[in-house]
Amino acid sequence: MKFSCYKSDLTEALQFVIRAVAVKPMTPILAGIYLKAEGSTLELQANNFSTGIVTRIPVNTELPGVTVVSGKRFQEFVRNMPDDTITFSDEKDAEFLEIESGGAKVELLTMVPGEFPKVKTPDTDNSFKIRTIVLRNLIQKTVFAVAKDETRPVFTGCAFQLEGDKISLVATNTHRLALAVEKLPEYYGECNFVVPAETLRGLMLRIDPKDVENYVTLSYSTRFLTFTFDNVFVNARLIEGQFPPYDRVIPSSSTTNVTVDSNAFKNAVELVSLMSRETEYNTVKFVFGNGGIEISSNSPEVGGATTNVEAQVNGDDLSISFNVNYILDVLKVIDSPQVDIALNDKYSPAAFTEPGNDNYIYVATPVRA
């Protein structure tokens, strides 16, 4: 095989497909990336049996062919090649893939393509379409709230809930919850499934945030979900288990209601978070009242930090503490110039919403400090 391509195209594709390369492979071939050059297209595949990814980029093929190389090493060398154009060839010896660019040359050992478990399209019973940018926004506003602890796998993914012409994504680690809802262009049936967070994070990388026209097709069965759009195909094994009812943790009323400038609030919290890193639970104290919010954190070993932000506070004055990461994470995905915060007491969860948007809510449980 012999082909050449732009470094930027291949780097972007590798950043996406590398997420399906096995970290601790059962066999060496699962640590590889499958390359197939034919005509004006290079197909890249990675498959760890939990997630399979196929993506394609434009190339100039002189000699068609297939090979498999170590995914991690291939990505590293491509990223560090000196020129904007890279040429790949195994003409001299099929056991090595030559990578040449700007006078630099690398030879990577190859693996047997026939041993690579190519990504297959599973039998799926149902499908629906959604704009790619809408799906990206749903993921972005929820996936950060999943659990990192894998002892309860169902919480390490986002729950998809389809109800007619409405789709909801929900994520929780039992201490916080993010819920985002969007309308679909057509009426579909009802279904529920949980998708691994890592699959969704990778998908976000491949969706252009400026692409407002294209659609992604989601096809699902009881075990698998596939995403298909542009030159991308992702096959994900769904997480088994029943996602618990989440409505009960969303506060139905509040005694303190706050509206604050999103950016000013985020900047203030980020400042105080530098001190909170020195505390056991990254704890930051928020005092709502007197026309603003006082934000502070203290560490016996380092010192203390305090700042104030103007805000509209209606209702009872309140002092409450949170893990600062739980607050910063939601402020990074809030789109509106302002954020509304609904609170009750220092032991009850707080709800964060965007003014005028009923389709997004984030709930964070306080720290008993």
Side-chain angles (χ1 to χ4, degrees):
M1 75 187 303
K2 186 175 182 180
F3 66 92
S4 58
C5 66
Y6 288 115
K7 174 182 173 180
S8 57
D9 289 343
L10 185 55
T11 299
E12 183 181 351
L14 286 172
Q15 186 181 10
F16 174 52
V17 81
I18 198 73
R19 289 179 170 268
V21 171
V23 178
K24 297 179 180 179
M26 295 179 290
T27 60
I29 198 74
L30 294 181
I33 288 178
Y34 174 92
L35 306 173
K36 180 182 178 180
E38 187 174 25
S40 61
T41 301
L42 174 70
E43 179 179 285
L44 300 90
Q45 291 197 23
N47 190 359
N48 60 18
F49 294 126
S50 175
T51 301
I53 295 176
V54 181
T55 189
R56 298 174 180 87
I57 63 169
V59 297
N60 179 25
T61 302
E62 294 184 38
L63 184 64
V66 298
T67 191
V68 178
V69 291
S70 165
K72 183 179 179 180
R73 291 187 178 92
F74 186 60
Q75 183 189 38
E76 289 173 344
F77 280 116
V78 168
R79 186 170 54 221
N80 287 283
M81 280 290 151
D83 205 355
D84 293 335
T85 303
I86 310 176
T87 300
F88 304 84
S89 174
D90 64 358
E91 283 184 292
K92 295 179 182 178
D93 187 345
E95 292 185 359
F96 292 91
L97 180 66
E98 288 187 356
I99 308 173
E100 294 187 75
S101 174
K105 185 168 105 172
V106 173
E107 292 183 341
L108 278 184
L109 275 170
T110 61
M111 292 176 266
V112 181
E115 296 178 358
F116 184 85
K118 293 180 67 176
V119 180
K120 298 179 181 179
T121 303
D123 293 329
T124 51
D125 305 319
N126 302 282
S127 65
F128 63 94
K129 289 185 177 182
I130 183 172
R131 287 190 185 276
T132 52
I133 188 62
V134 171
L135 179 61
R136 187 184 190 277
N137 289 340
L138 286 171
I139 296 170
Q140 185 178 39
K141 287 196 168 186
T142 55
V143 73
F144 66 88
V146 303
K148 297 178 182 179
D149 185 355
E150 297 185 357
T151 55
R152 300 179 71 182
V154 73
F155 292 127
T156 64
C158 283
F160 281 58
Q161 299 187 341
L162 194 64
E163 296 176 290
D165 62 347
K166 184 179 75 172
I167 184 171
S168 305
L169 262 67
V170 190
T172 181
N173 65 357
T174 71
H175 298 293
R176 61 177 177 178
L177 178 144
L179 166 64
V181 182
E182 285 286 354
K183 290 272 287 184
L184 293 171
E186 298 179 33
Y187 186 92
Y188 298 97
E190 296 187 2
C191 68
N192 299 276
F193 45 79
V194 183
V195 186
E198 192 62 21
T199 299
L200 298 175
R201 291 190 184 103
L203 201 64
M204 277 202 307
L205 291 176
R206 202 59 176 160
I207 297 177
D208 184 349
K210 298 178 182 178
D211 183 3
V212 297
E213 298 297 331
N214 287 331
Y215 284 83
V216 54
T217 298
L218 286 77
S219 303
Y220 59 93
S221 65
T222 55
R223 296 178 60 199
F224 293 97
L225 173 69
T226 65
F227 301 88
T228 309
F229 64 100
D230 293 338
N231 290 314
V232 171
F233 175 81
V234 178
N235 177 32
R237 184 185 295 273
L238 299 175
I239 297 176
E240 296 181 2
Q242 186 67 35
F243 202 83
Y246 57 85
D247 293 351
R248 66 187 66 174
V249 304
I250 298 176
S252 57
S253 61
S254 57
T255 55
T256 303
N257 295 284
V258 182
T259 300
V260 61
D261 180 276
S262 302
N263 195 51
F265 190 38
K266 180 167 73 71
N267 290 340
V269 176
E270 284 179 335
L271 172 65
V272 177
S273 74
L274 300 175
M275 181 62 65
S276 72
R277 295 174 188 170
E278 307 298 329
T279 66
E280 185 177 1
Y281 298 109
N282 295 320
T283 304
V284 167
K285 182 180 179 181
F286 297 83
V287 179
F288 298 92
N290 297 321
I293 310 170
E294 181 185 274
I295 309 163
S296 62
S297 183
N298 293 283
S299 168
E301 292 81 15
V302 180
T306 304
T307 189
N308 291 272
V309 180
E310 290 185 3
Q312 180 181 337
V313 182
N314 296 315
D316 302 336
D317 291 354
L318 177 63
S319 174
I320 188 170
S321 297
F322 293 98
N323 178 322
V324 72
N325 295 325
Y326 286 10
I327 308 304
L328 281 178
D329 285 347
V330 69
L331 294 178
K332 291 175 182 177
V333 302
I334 289 288
D335 293 325
S336 61
Q338 295 180 313
V339 57
D340 289 339
I341 311 171
L343 308 111
N344 284 291
D345 57 59
K346 65 179 182 178
Y347 301 117
S348 300
F352 295 74
T353 55
E354 297 172 330
N357 180 11
D358 295 331
N359 291 330
Y360 184 67
I361 187 167
Y362 174 76
V363 179
T365 301
V367 175
R368 292 178 177 260

